C-alpha cells in the first residue's frame, strides 16, 4: 500500500505566530519583547517565532509577582478549583491549535500531539481541580510551599507544563515556569489561556530563555521549591545549587529503561510495544525502553519481526497524519545520536536501520549483538535507537535490567502474570508496565530511583510533593571531640562501648575513643568511628536483605520484642538518659511496631482495562544522622520508621552523647533484629555524614542535624539520593519518608 499525503492545516497556528515577537508573561500580562532569540521548526529548518531572553531582573520580577499573589491564592481553594477546571476546558477548546503548534515547535508527529499529549494535558488540569477541592480533607495540616520555580524540557513541552503547573496551583502555590529554549511556544499560548480562564495576576508566570535563565531561577532566594525535568547531569547541578537553601526539590531525570521479553510473551504484541516504547516521540522520551532484553529461546523470531516492523515505519513531515516518526529537536541532538550509534557499531554492534528523509530526521535503528559494555547500552541516547541483548533465565534478565545507574521505568512482557509480577518486584524502576509501555495518567505516580531522580508527579504522591508539613528540627550543634584523656569523675564502673556493626560489637577501625562528659561526670568512652567503619556498616546492611523481604507483621513482632527489651533495661539506660526519655522511647517503639504492617500501597483509578498499583518499597540501605537532643529517643525516632518499612540502617548517633544509642546494639540482637539491619557508628557527625551522603550504596538519608544539611545535600548530588530533614516527633510522615513508590501497570478487565 502506498500512503498518500494527509497534511494537517497549520493556518491557525501560523496566524497566532504572526502576531508579534513574544515577551515574557509576568504578573498577568505580557512584557514588551527584550533581547530575542529564534525558535525554529526542526522539520523545515525555518524560524517560527522570536521570543525574549529573560534576564536575572526579569526572573526577579516574576518571582516578586508570584510572591505577591501567593497568599490570596492559597486562601481560596474554591477559586483554585474553578480556575483549574477552566484551564482544562480552555485546553480542550484550543486542542487543535495546541496540537499543531506543538508539532511545529517540537517536530513530533501530529497524531501524537493530537491523540496523546493534549488530551493528557486536559486530564491533568481536570484531575487537579479535584485536588484543590479535597486538599484540606485529604492533607490535614499541610500548606503550600509558596513560590515554585519549574524548569521543563523540550520533549513534551506542554505536557510537562501541565504535570508541574496543575499540582502546584491545586496546592496553593504560585509558579514561575521556564520552558525549554527550543520549545517555548505552547507555554506562551498557555499563558494566553490563563487570561481567558481567569487565573489571577501573578499566579502563573512564564519566563523564556536559555540555561542562564534557569540558573537564575534556581538561585533566586524567593523560590521555595524547585521542580526540574531534564538530564541527570543538570539535575546534579541543581541539587548542589540548592543545597542548604531550604528549597524543596523534586527531580525527574534521565533513564535507560529495560524492555524485558520473556519466552512466553506474545511476540507480535511485544514488537508493537517496542514501537511505542522507543520510536514514540522520536525516542526523545526519558522512560523509553531502549534496552531490549529478550529470552534466548525466542530471540531470533523476535529479532526478525522487529527488523521487519522498523523498516515499515514512516519518518518525515510531523504535520502529516500518516507519519510515525517526526523530526529530531535540533541538529546538535541529531549529531549526538549519530555519534553514539557510530560508537556502538565500533564496539561491535550490528545496526539494522529504517529510512529517513534528508534534514533533521533519524531513521529507527536496532543495534543487535551488543555487549553490556557497549556505550549504547549504558548511555541515554534520546533518539529512535534501541539495543537488543539476550538472556537465558529470569535472574539473568533482572541482573541485566538493573545493570544501569538509572531507575526510571521498565516494561515486562509475559503471558504469565506471576512471572511478570515477580520481575516487577525485583527491577529497580519507579514505573513498571506489564504487557504495555509508556502509559501515563494524572492519577498514576511517575518518577524514578537512583540517577533518575527523586519525587513523584501525578496522583496523591505528586500532590504531596507540592505541600509542606512541619519544619525540620532546629537542634543544638554537636560539641568538639577530643580523643585525649579527660578528667572527670567516673559514674560507677568504667563503661566500655563499641561500635555495633553486622550484629556484633566492633572496635573502631582507628582504635581510638573519646570521653563522653556531662556536668563534669564521665559517662563513659565512645569509639571514634571513621569512613572505613561506615564502609563496613554499609556492607553489613546490604547482607541483611532478608529483613526487607519479611512481612510487615514479622517486622512488627520484632519491634514489639524490642519494646520489651528496652523496658527490661530501663534501669541501665537511666545512667545515660532521663527516665522520661526512656519511657518515651518505649512508647515510640510500640507506635512504630503498630505501623509496621499498616502502611499500605494503593490501587489508583487510571485508564480502563488496567489496575495501577502504587507499591511502597523500602529504599534498601539508608543512612540516619541523629540529632543532639534526646540521644536515645532521637536515635530511635529515625531507626524505628526506617526498619519498620523494611530498610536496613547505618546510624550516626548523637555526637555529644552517643552512649545510649550504642547501648541499643546488644538489645537489638536480644530482640531478634537480624544482624546487619541496624548498624551504629559513633564519631564526628560531619565526617561520618559526608561519607554516608557520598556513598553509592546508600539509597537515602534522613538527617536531624541542621548543621550538616547543606553538606549532605551537596555531597548526595553525586548519586542523587533523596535527603529527608527529619523534624522532631513521630507519625505517618516519618514512615512515608522511608519508602519510595513503584507504580505498576497491570492489565485488568480488558
Amino acid at each position: 500500500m502506498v500512503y498518500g499525503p494527509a497534511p494537517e492545516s497549520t493556518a491557525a497556528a501560523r496566524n497566532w505566530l504572526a502576531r508579534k515577537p513574544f515577551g515574557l508573561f509576568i504578573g498577568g500580562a505580557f512584557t514588551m519583547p527584550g533581547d530575542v532569540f529564534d525558535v525554529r521548526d526542526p522539520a523545515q529548518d525555518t524560524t517560527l517565532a522570536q521570543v525574549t531572553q529573560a534576564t536575572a531582573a526579569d526572573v526577579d520580577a516574576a518571582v516578586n509577582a508570584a510572591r505577591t499573589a501567593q497568599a490570596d491564592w492559597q486562601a481560596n481553594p474554591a477559586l483554585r478549583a474553578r480556575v483549574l477546571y477552566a484551564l482544562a476546558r480552555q485546553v480542550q477548546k484550543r486542542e487543535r491549535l495546541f496540537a499543531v503548534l506543538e508539532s511545529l515547535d517540537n517536530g513530533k508527529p501530529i497524531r501524537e500531539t493530537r491523540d496523546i499529549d493534549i488530551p493528557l494535558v486536559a486530564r491533568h488540569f481536570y484531575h487537579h481541580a479535584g485536588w484543590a477541592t479535597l486538599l484540606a480533607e485529604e492533607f490535614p495540616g499541610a500548606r503550600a510551599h509558596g513560590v515554585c520555580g519549574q524548569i521543563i524540557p523540550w520533549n513534551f513541552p506542554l505536557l510537562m507544563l501541565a504535570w508541574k503547573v496543575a499540582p502546584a496551583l491545586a496546592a496553593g502555590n504560585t509558579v514561575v515556569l521556564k520552558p525549554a529554549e527550543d520549545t517555548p511556544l505552547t507555554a506562551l499560548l498557555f499563558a494566553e489561556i490563563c487570561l481567558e480562564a481567569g487565573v489571577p495576576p501573578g499566579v502563573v508566570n512564564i519566563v523564556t530563555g536559555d540555561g542562564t535563565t534557569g540558573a537564575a531561577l534556581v538561585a533566586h532566594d524567593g523560590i521555595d521549591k524547585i521542580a526540574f525535568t531534564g538530564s541527570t547531569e543538570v539535575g546534579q547541578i541543581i541539587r548542589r545549587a540548592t543545597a542548604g537553601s531550604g528549597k524543596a526539590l523534586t527531580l525527574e531525570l534521565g533513564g535507560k529503561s529495560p524492555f524485558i521479553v520473556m519466552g512466553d510473551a506474545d511476540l507480535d504484541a511485544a514488537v508493537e510495544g517496542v514501537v511505542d516504547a522507543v520510536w514514540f516521540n522520536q525516542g526523545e522520551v526519558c522512560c523509553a525502553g531502549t534496552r531490549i532484553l529478550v529470552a534466548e529461546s525466542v530471540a531470533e523470531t523476535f529479532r526478525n519481526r522487529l527488523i521487519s516492523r522498523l523498516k515499515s515505519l514512516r519518518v518525515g513531515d510531523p504535520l502529516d497524519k500518516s507519519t510515525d516518526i517526526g523530526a529530531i529537536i535540533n541538529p546538535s541532538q541529531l549529531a549526538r545520536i549519530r555519534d553514539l550509534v557510530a560508537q556502538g557499531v565500533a564496539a561491535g554492534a550490528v545496526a539494522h536501520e529504517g529510512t529517513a528523509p534528508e534534514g533533521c530526521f533519524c531513521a529507527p535503528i536496532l543495534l543487535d549483538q551488543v555487549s553490556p559494555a557497549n556505550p549504547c547500552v549504558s548511555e541515554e541516547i534520546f533518539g529512535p535507537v534501541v539495543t537488543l541483548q539476550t538472556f537465558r533465565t529470569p535472574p539473568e534478565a533482572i541482573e541485566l535490567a538493573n545493570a544501569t545507574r538509572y531507575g526510571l521505568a521498565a516494561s515486562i512482557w509475559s503471558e504469565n502474570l506471576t512471572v511478570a509480577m515477580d520481575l516487577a518486584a525485583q527491577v529497580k524502576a519507579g514505573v513498571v508496565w506489564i504487557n504495555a509501555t509508556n502509559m501515563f495518567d494524572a492519577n498514576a505516580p511517575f518518577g524514578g530511583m537512583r540517577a533518575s531522580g527523586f519525587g513523584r508527579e501525578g496522583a496523591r504522591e505528586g500532590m504531596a510533593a507540592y505541600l509542606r508539613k512541619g519544619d525540620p528540627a532546629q537542634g543544638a550543634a554537636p560539641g568538639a571531640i577530643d580523643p585525649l584523656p579527660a578528667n572527670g569523675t567516673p559514674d560507677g564502673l568504667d563503661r566500655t562501648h563499641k561500635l555495633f556493626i553486622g550484629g556484633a560489637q566492633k572496635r573502631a577501625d582507628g582504635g581510638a575513643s573519646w570521653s563522653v562528659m556531662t556536668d563534669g561526670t564521665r559517662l563513659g568512652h565512645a569509639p571514634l568511628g571513621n569512613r572505613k567503619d561506615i564502609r563496613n556498616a554499609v556492607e553489613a546492611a546490604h547482607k541483611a536483605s532478608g529483613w526487607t523481604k519479611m512481612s510487615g507483621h514479622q517486622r512488627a513482632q520484632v519491634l514489639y520484642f524490642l519494646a520489651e527489651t528496652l523496658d527490661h533495661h530501663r534501669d541501665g539506660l537511666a545512667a545515660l538518659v532521663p527516665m522520661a526519655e526512656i519511657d518515651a522511647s518505649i512508647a515510640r517503639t510500640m507506635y512504630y511496631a503498630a505501623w509496621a504492617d499498616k502502611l499500605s500501597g494503593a490501587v489508583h483509578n487510571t485508564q480502563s482495562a488496567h489496575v495501577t498499583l502504587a507499591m511502597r518499597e523500602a529504599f534498601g540501605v539508608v543512612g540516619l544522622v541523629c540529632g543532639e537532643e534526646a540521644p536515645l529517643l532521637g536515635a530511635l525516632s529515625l531507626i524505628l520508621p526506617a526498619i519498620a518499612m523494611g530498610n536496613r540502617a547505618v546510624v550516626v548517633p548523637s555526637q555529644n552523647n552517643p552512649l545510649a544509642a550504642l547501648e541499643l546494639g546488644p538489645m537489638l540482637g536480644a530482640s531478634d533484629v537480624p544482624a546487619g539491619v541496624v548498624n551504629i557508628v559513633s564519631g564526628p557527625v560531619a565526617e561520618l555524614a559526608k561519607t554516608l551522603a557520598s556513598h553509592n550504596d546508600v539509597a537515602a538519608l534522613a538527617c536531624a542535624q541542621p548543621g550538616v544539611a547543606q553538606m549532605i545535600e551537596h555531597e548526595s548530588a553525586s548519586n542523587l539520593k533523596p535527603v529527608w530533614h527529619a523534624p522532631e516527633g513521630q507519625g505517618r510522615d516519618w514512615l512515608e519518608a522511608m519508602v519510595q513508590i513503584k507504580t505498576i501497570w497491570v492489565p485488568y478487565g480488558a
Side-chain angles (χ1 to χ4, degrees):
M1 179 184 295
V2 178
Y3 285 87
E8 175 70 45
S9 172
T10 64
R14 294 195 183 278
N15 287 340
W16 181 80
L17 290 167
R19 288 182 180 180
K20 56 190 175 183
F22 291 95
L24 312 172
F25 187 68
I26 297 175
F30 280 94
T31 67
M32 293 297 293
D35 292 336
V36 296
F37 60 91
D38 290 346
V39 177
R40 301 188 68 77
D41 177 343
Q44 301 295 326
D45 192 26
T46 58
T47 298
L48 288 170
Q50 291 183 320
V51 302
T52 296
Q53 170 64 46
T55 65
D58 295 323
V59 170
D60 189 56
V63 172
N64 288 338
R67 179 64 63 196
T68 300
Q70 196 271 323
D72 289 343
W73 178 249
Q74 179 174 316
N76 197 335
L79 174 63
R80 299 202 303 272
R82 289 197 301 270
V83 166
L84 285 162
Y85 174 78
L87 285 169
R89 297 293 291 141
Q90 290 296 330
V91 168
Q92 290 182 315
K93 292 174 186 178
R94 304 286 191 276
E95 60 183 6
R96 191 53 57 94
L97 174 59
F98 272 117
V100 172
L101 187 61
E102 195 81 305
S103 290
L104 285 170
D105 199 14
N106 171 273
K108 63 174 63 185
I110 183 65
R111 65 183 182 84
E112 292 180 4
T113 59
R114 179 196 64 202
D115 299 340
I116 299 172
D117 291 38
I118 309 307
L120 272 174
V121 169
R123 163 70 173 139
H124 273 266
F125 282 106
Y126 276 126
H127 178 76
H128 288 94
W131 275 122
T133 300
L134 301 174
L135 195 68
E137 179 181 341
E138 289 297 309
F139 293 92
R143 64 188 190 277
H145 285 289
V147 177
C148 297
Q150 303 180 319
I151 303 171
I152 58 175
W154 44 257
N155 56 335
F156 290 92
L158 189 64
L159 184 56
M160 292 296 98
L161 177 151
W163 279 25
K164 288 181 167 48
V165 170
L169 298 190
N173 301 283
T174 53
V175 304
V176 180
L177 178 129
K178 192 200 90 67
E181 180 183 5
D182 285 307
T183 55
L185 298 181
T186 47
L188 294 169
L189 177 59
F190 175 80
E192 293 192 6
I193 72 164
C194 284
L195 297 174
E196 284 195 317
V199 177
V203 169
V204 173
N205 306 271
I206 296 174
V207 292
T208 53
D210 58 16
T212 61
T213 305
L217 188 58
V218 168
H220 199 288
D221 290 339
I223 294 292
D224 301 299
K225 173 185 167 65
I226 291 290
F228 172 77
T229 296
S231 72
T232 294
E233 291 71 24
V234 175
Q236 291 172 320
I237 292 170
I238 292 174
R239 167 80 279 184
R240 294 186 180 100
T242 59
S245 67
K247 294 180 175 116
L249 179 64
T250 48
L251 299 172
E252 195 264 281
L253 307 175
K256 196 68 182 176
S257 302
F259 187 101
I260 305 172
V261 183
M262 302 303 291
D264 65 348
D266 180 335
L267 297 186
D268 289 324
V271 166
E272 290 306 308
V274 174
V275 174
D276 289 337
V278 182
W279 297 316
F280 166 62
N281 203 52
Q282 300 78 250
E284 296 169 339
V285 184
C286 53
C287 54
T290 53
R291 293 185 297 133
I292 299 172
L293 309 174
V294 59
E296 195 173 89
S297 58
V298 296
E300 183 176 358
T301 301
F302 179 83
R303 179 187 295 109
N304 291 337
R305 294 183 188 181
L306 184 60
I307 293 170
S308 175
R309 183 69 176 94
L310 78 84
K311 292 184 180 298
S312 72
L313 294 173
R314 302 183 77 234
V315 183
D317 181 6
L319 275 300
D320 189 320
K321 300 183 190 73
S322 298
T323 292
D324 296 307
I325 299 175
I328 301 300
I329 187 65
N330 57 45
S332 62
Q333 177 63 18
L334 179 60
R336 181 180 183 275
I337 294 167
R338 288 174 172 165
D339 179 61
L340 280 168
V341 170
Q343 291 181 44
V345 171
V350 175
H352 302 276
E353 189 168 349
T355 58
E358 293 295 320
C360 205
F361 297 93
C362 182
I365 298 172
L366 167 65
L367 294 178
D368 194 15
Q369 299 181 32
V370 295
S371 70
N374 191 294
C376 289
V377 172
S378 58
E379 294 299 317
E380 185 178 31
I381 300 174
F382 229 61
V385 182
V386 66
T387 63
L388 189 148
Q389 298 168 271
T390 63
F391 63 87
R392 293 184 178 180
T393 64
E396 185 183 359
I398 288 298
E399 184 178 3
L400 289 169
N402 291 337
T404 174
R405 62 178 178 140
Y406 298 107
L408 187 52
S411 184
I412 299 169
W413 295 77
S414 172
E415 292 299 285
N416 187 323
L417 186 59
T418 300
V419 170
M421 291 297 283
D422 182 55
L423 294 174
Q426 296 179 69
V427 71
K428 294 177 180 177
V431 181
V432 180
W433 296 287
I434 293 177
N435 292 334
T437 189
N438 279 342
M439 299 188 73
F440 309 101
D441 189 82
N443 200 29
F446 184 89
M449 303 175 179
R450 302 194 289 178
S452 292
F454 50 79
R456 294 295 181 266
E457 295 184 290
R460 183 185 187 91
E461 294 77 11
M463 278 300 301
Y466 282 95
L467 294 166
R468 185 186 297 273
K469 190 173 183 181
D471 293 299
Q474 298 297 319
I481 287 179
D482 187 354
L484 298 178
N487 294 325
T489 304
D491 183 14
L493 188 66
D494 184 76
R495 302 173 68 85
T496 302
H497 290 85
K498 296 180 181 178
L499 307 177
F500 187 71
I501 298 174
Q505 292 179 294
K506 302 284 188 180
R507 294 186 183 277
D509 172 76
S513 297
W514 84 95
S515 298
V516 178
M517 309 290 293
T518 179
D519 298 327
T521 298
R522 187 176 70 245
L523 297 181
H525 294 95
L528 192 60
N530 60 26
R531 62 180 182 83
K532 291 185 178 179
D533 296 306
I534 293 289
R535 177 200 65 191
N536 294 338
V538 172
E539 290 178 356
H542 273 279
K543 292 176 182 178
S545 58
W547 177 256
T548 303
K549 298 174 184 176
M550 290 171 61
S551 70
H553 169 67
Q554 291 172 309
R555 293 195 294 268
Q557 291 294 104
V558 172
L559 293 184
Y560 281 124
F561 295 159
L562 178 58
E564 290 182 26
T565 305
L566 286 167
D567 186 62
H568 181 71
H569 287 85
R570 62 169 55 242
D571 292 338
L573 290 169
L576 300 171
V577 294
M579 190 62 74
E581 184 178 339
I582 298 168
D583 291 337
S585 297
I586 295 169
R588 191 150 294 176
T589 307
M590 295 286 286
Y591 175 84
Y592 284 114
W595 263 113
D597 61 351
K598 296 178 182 65
L599 188 71
S600 302
V603 177
H604 286 282
N605 186 358
T606 57
Q607 299 182 23
S608 62
H610 281 84
V611 169
T612 307
L613 307 175
M615 305 299 294
R616 286 182 164 89
E617 285 193 354
F619 283 100
V621 175
V622 299
L624 308 176
V625 183
C626 304
E628 294 304 321
E629 288 77 15
L632 177 63
L633 180 62
L636 286 170
S637 295
L638 296 184
I639 293 170
L640 293 167
I643 66 174
M645 293 297 96
N647 296 288
R648 295 91 72 192
V650 178
V651 184
V652 178
S654 159
Q655 182 173 307
N656 293 338
N657 183 7
L659 301 184
L662 292 169
E663 289 277 337
L664 287 173
M667 297 183 204
L668 293 164
S671 306
D672 294 339
V673 177
V677 170
V678 178
N679 307 271
I680 305 170
V681 180
S682 59
V685 164
E687 178 184 320
L688 300 179
K690 182 177 182 180
T691 303
L692 282 172
S694 60
H695 202 300
N696 287 334
D697 287 333
V698 175
L701 272 176
C703 178
Q705 287 272 7
V708 300
Q710 179 175 1
M711 178 271 294
I712 63 174
E713 288 181 354
H714 187 276
E715 293 298 320
S716 69
S718 61
N719 44 51
L720 288 167
K721 62 170 62 74
V723 176
W724 182 59
H725 298 290
E728 297 175 0
Q730 65 181 30
R732 182 176 175 136
D733 292 346
W734 278 251
L735 296 159
E736 291 183 341
M738 297 297 174
V739 293
Q740 54 191 338
I741 298 296
K742 176 181 282 186
T743 303
I744 306 175
W745 292 72
V746 185
Y748 177 80

